[in-house]
Amino acid sequence: MLSGVVSVLAFFLWGQYQSNEWSAVRIRKARNFEKKLFWISFIPRLIWMILIYIIFMENYGDAFGFENGDPTFYDYQAKLFAQSISDGNFFNEWQRTSEIIDISDLGYSAYVGFVYWLTDNSIIAVRLLKCVLSAYTVLLTYRLVKRNFVVQTARIAAIFVALWPNFWYYCGTHLKETEMVFLTMLFVDQADQMLRSRQFTAWKIIPILLIAAAMFTFRTPLGIVALLALVFSVVMSSTKVVSWGKRIIVGALAIALIGVVAGNRIQEQTRGLVEKVQSNEQQENMQWRGEREHGNSFAKYAGATVFAPMIFTLPFPSMVKPYEGQDVQQLLNGGNFIKNIISAFTILAMVMLLISGTWREHLLPLSFMLGYLVVLTVSAFAQSERFHQPAMPLEFMFAAYGLSIALTKKKYKRWFTYWCALMFVAVIAWNWFKMAGRGLS
């Protein structure tokens, strides 16, 4: 509870301070500003990474702490990949592993394995790279928002991404969220830049498709959404953004390369994803969550119809004392509440883009964000903070736009006050249901 309060206060107070500082920076000094932005993002992440590493070692005796299921698996698999590189049979190990585990876990394990191979299995090296990638994600967000809106909006979005504490948290773990967020923003930024470029060549799409292929090996739905968002944006974007000639070239190349490079795999994975949606898997998972030890008996009533209206706002923070293995919730509470509050501006941005008819000018980030959230809504992980991570920089992008609109009219400020009150009630209600479902109310 205390960590959540500290996170929220630090985010808004530090954010206000940085906003005042950056408003005085001249736009023509963009390169110097980006350097400052990188270091402001990197240093807190580095400090957090070192601090949580010491805490894990002191309290748990290892570098993985209280969330050691997936991290220890990635560590084990990465060491196998590192050894295979030394032995010269990496591709054989990849093939062998792909027959045992899902492709969604192959990419990250191989990446960590390569870092291990270079650094003699150094966990610190992996997490230092996470700090670098996470800080660079802030720069990618800034450039993307500046290209789509104006520099003032870009700076607001950069503040959100730089200071949101949940991004910091994953820099100190062995989970793959930091890398997925980085790949997401790298893909969206590069694809958006390509679509808006006047000096377009067909070869520019190849690196973008390779990034999408990498995303596919980190989380399958992420790669599928990336490719579909690209094709959809090419077809549906405003002619002010994408010319007809460019649409034909990019669309044809994308479809051809998708079919040649990964057609069968994507078809299999997409079919599996659709089958999961059509089946009752989400409801069965909610049923299991309600019946397991320390579960919430009300979970069985949750589903897409419940999650969909709240998907921009979820997850709600937990103020209930966690059971063993759920300690991480206490560290993420503050970040979750920050998202609950800021989602008001994301929703406002969606409404204003629709009313103004300018949504087609920002179709790639919009279609990616909405596509991923739709997948999340029909999955069993809509209330899982980890699974929201890849979409968060894009949500902050549109939240920054919504905030820039809200600052121009008093009625939006009044509505925001009502929203804050609503979120306070919603969080209390969520935690009451959580306790009631466990028979503790």
Side-chain angles (χ1 to χ4, degrees), residues 102-124:
D102 190 81
I103 191 173
S104 290
D105 290 321
L106 277 175
Y108 180 66
S109 298
Y111 158 74
V112 176
F114 181 71
V115 177
Y116 277 178
W117 177 66
L118 291 174
T119 61
D120 192 25
N121 294 341
S122 172
I123 291 175
I124 290 293

Side-chain angles (χ1 to χ4, degrees), residues 296-315:
N296 190 322
S297 60
F298 292 148
K300 62 184 178 182
Y301 300 111
T305 53
V306 175
F307 296 139
M310 303 185 291
I311 196 61
F312 287 116
T313 304
L314 293 175

Side-chain angles (χ1 to χ4, degrees), residues 228-254:
L228 292 178
L230 178 60
V231 174
F232 183 74
S233 300
V234 167
V235 174
M236 296 297 295
S237 284
S238 168
T239 52
K240 294 180 181 179
V241 179
V242 184
S243 65
W244 277 107
K246 192 183 296 184
R247 292 183 189 189
I248 295 172
I249 294 173
V250 174
L253 272 176

Side-chain angles (χ1 to χ4, degrees), residues 139-284:
L139 295 186
L140 293 173
T141 305
Y142 172 74
R143 294 168 184 170
L144 176 67
V145 181
K146 186 170 70 170
R147 195 183 308 119
N148 277 265
F149 299 109
V150 296
V151 67
Q152 289 80 7
T153 303
R155 290 179 177 179
I156 295 172
I159 290 173
F160 288 163
V161 180
L163 303 184
W164 195 48
N166 291 20
F167 284 144
W168 299 11
Y169 169 75
Y170 290 102
C171 293
T173 74
H174 242 48
L175 296 169
K176 59 185 177 181
E177 271 59 36
T178 297
E179 288 77 8
M180 283 196 300
V181 173
F182 169 74
L183 286 173
T184 296
M185 292 310 298
L186 184 64
F187 172 85
V188 176
D189 175 68
Q190 293 299 303
D192 183 77
Q193 185 175 350
M194 176 198 67
L195 293 175
R196 296 175 184 274
S197 174
R198 294 182 178 179
Q199 297 179 337
F200 171 77
T201 61
W203 291 105
K204 287 185 178 181
I205 193 175
I206 295 178
I208 295 168
L209 290 175
L210 291 176
I211 297 170
M215 295 166 69
F216 196 82
T217 66
F218 274 68
R219 181 169 292 160
T220 303
L222 201 61
I224 295 173
V225 169
L227 294 172
L228 292 178
L230 178 60
V231 174
F232 183 74
S233 300
V234 167
V235 174
M236 296 297 295
S237 284
S238 168
T239 52
K240 294 180 181 179
V241 179
V242 184
S243 65
W244 277 107
K246 192 183 296 184
R247 292 183 189 189
I248 295 172
I249 294 173
V250 174
L253 272 176
I255 294 171
L257 286 175
I258 290 168
V260 171
V261 176
N264 291 335
R265 176 70 76 169
I266 290 177
Q267 185 177 7
E268 292 172 4
Q269 295 289 337
T270 304
R271 187 186 300 117
L273 187 63
V274 171
E275 289 175 354
K276 287 181 179 179
V277 173
Q278 292 177 338
S279 69
N280 209 29
E281 186 188 59
Q282 185 186 54
Q283 192 58 46
E284 291 175 357

Side-chain angles (χ1 to χ4, degrees), residues 356-373:
S356 65
T358 56
W359 57 273
R360 292 179 66 190
E361 297 176 16
H362 316 286
L363 196 55
L364 180 62
L366 264 176
S367 57
F368 189 101
M369 178 186 72
L370 294 176
Y372 183 76
L373 291 178

Side-chain angles (χ1 to χ4, degrees), residues 388-401:
H388 281 264
Q389 284 281 312
M392 284 308 301
L394 297 174
E395 291 190 50
F396 283 143
M397 167 183 174
F398 291 106
Y401 175 63

Side-chain angles (χ1 to χ4, degrees), residues 52-66 127 172:
I52 198 67
Y53 180 85
I54 294 172
I55 292 173
F56 283 167
M57 294 300 294
E58 289 292 327
N59 290 277
Y60 299 93
D62 59 43
F64 306 114
F66 39 69
R127 295 183 183 177

